[in-house]
Amino acid sequence: MTLDDLRAFVAVCDAGSLSAVARDLSCTQSAVSQRVRRLERELGLPLLERQPRGVAPTQAGRLLRRAAGDGIGTLDLVVRQLHEIRDGAAGTVRITTGAISVRHFMSQAVVAFRTRHPQVGLEFQTSHSGRGCLDALAADTADLAWITIGPSARGVAQRTVVHLPWVLAVRSNDPLATRATIHRDDLADIRHIRLPENSTSRRSLDGHFAQHGTEPDASTSVADWDTAMLLAELGLGHAIVPALPGWRAAEHPGLRLIPIPDLPPLATGWAVRRWETLSPAALAFADAVAESLTPPTLTPHIPGRGPVREPEAVTPPATQATN
């Protein structure tokens, strides 16, 4: 029993004529009759009976017509949807990431993607940690995860999109605000606003401090990078955070971001289960984000001296790690 045989049988039941279906299918009446006979041989029951004008289904034929008609209708709908997904014209892309990542890393890409793929849905899921993002991939509740790149994880492919240099966020009237750069050794004396516990960025920073013996005193801890910078702007301490793409210093006149060239940049990017199994729409969104991001250019403003331009951060080629 093949799908083509069932389609022909349903068409004959609806048309009441073998010849009419043959014309619609651009084949001979004999070919249509052979499809029906194959079904009858397999089922061991007559499915059609001849009438003065055409044919009509038997009792067995009516049962098969109802079941096959419902199934074929559903299958045709699914096939159309699959073709749309294949062509990137429909479907939904499920993205999991931290609460602030869409604002800082994806806002331009979302607009560009929506223009190119207006029928594709975007579903954003907020996770409070990189581990949570990877768990969403493993549970198949997300297609793409935007994460801070960390150690290789089983069953996950990670791809770096942009490297973020570290900066020290301080209030504009803080004594350190006049510095063009901050040396690693100077961090031992700051009032540190710690990054989220169990986050990859915090582990990276803590590991560097442990290696060089410059662990600063922590006065406050926060849930995300934005909150860390806000508290620094309010004068509650100093925040060591990655320089974020699209950061607008003019919107935060009370805050200074001072480069820390001694700290290696933080890698951020995509994690997926397997790139080759992603839908075209998911691949298009991942590419749109990568195309929209450029490495932050650090231009701290020093009162009385004007802006000081630091060399632009260099983004190494994208890498992919798989397990």
Side-chain angles (χ1 to χ4, degrees), residues 117-161:
H117 307 274
Q119 302 303 316
V120 178
L122 293 175
E123 178 183 300
F124 292 97
Q125 308 165 16
T126 299
S127 179
H128 298 294
S129 68
R131 180 70 262 171
C133 289
L134 299 184
D135 289 344
L137 290 178
D140 195 24
T141 59
D143 306 306
L144 297 164
W146 183 266
I147 63 170
T148 300
I149 302 298
S152 297
R154 183 178 181 181
V156 173
Q158 300 182 52
R159 178 176 293 173
T160 298
V161 174

Side-chain angles (χ1 to χ4, degrees), residues 44-94:
L45 290 168
L47 299 175
L48 294 176
E49 59 183 3
R50 291 192 174 276
Q51 295 184 338
R53 295 184 178 180
V55 295
T58 63
Q59 180 181 8
R62 288 193 295 272
L63 288 173
L64 181 61
R65 164 65 186 86
R66 284 196 295 271
D70 292 343
I72 289 173
T74 301
L75 183 59
D76 285 343
L77 175 60
V78 170
V79 169
R80 286 196 299 273
Q81 292 173 338
L82 291 175
H83 286 167
E84 290 173 347
I85 292 173
R86 178 198 63 193
D87 299 335
T92 299
V93 181
R94 304 168 301 169

Side-chain angles (χ1 to χ4, degrees), residues 255-267:
L255 188 68
R256 297 285 179 266
L257 301 181
I258 309 169
I260 312 173
D262 294 338
L263 298 182
L266 189 70

Side-chain angles (χ1 to χ4, degrees), residues 159-171:
R159 178 176 293 173
T160 298
V161 174
V162 63
H163 287 76
L164 308 175
W166 291 95
V167 296
L168 183 68
V170 302
R171 188 175 172 85

Side-chain angles (χ1 to χ4, degrees), residues 179-235:
R179 300 281 295 272
T181 59
I182 294 290
H183 190 270
R184 179 181 56 235
D185 294 340
D186 298 329
L187 300 176
D189 299 324
I190 66 172
R191 292 176 295 123
H192 190 201
I193 300 171
R194 299 198 74 180
L195 296 179
E197 189 174 2
N198 297 325
S199 67
T200 305
S201 55
R202 175 164 165 175
R203 286 196 297 271
S204 175
L205 202 55
D206 287 351
H208 190 80
F209 287 148
Q211 180 181 357
H212 295 277
T214 55
E215 178 71 26
D217 291 332
S219 59
T220 310
S221 61
V222 295
D224 56 65
W225 299 334
D226 276 1
T227 304
M229 288 191 282
L230 173 61
L231 295 183
E233 188 172 6
L234 294 174

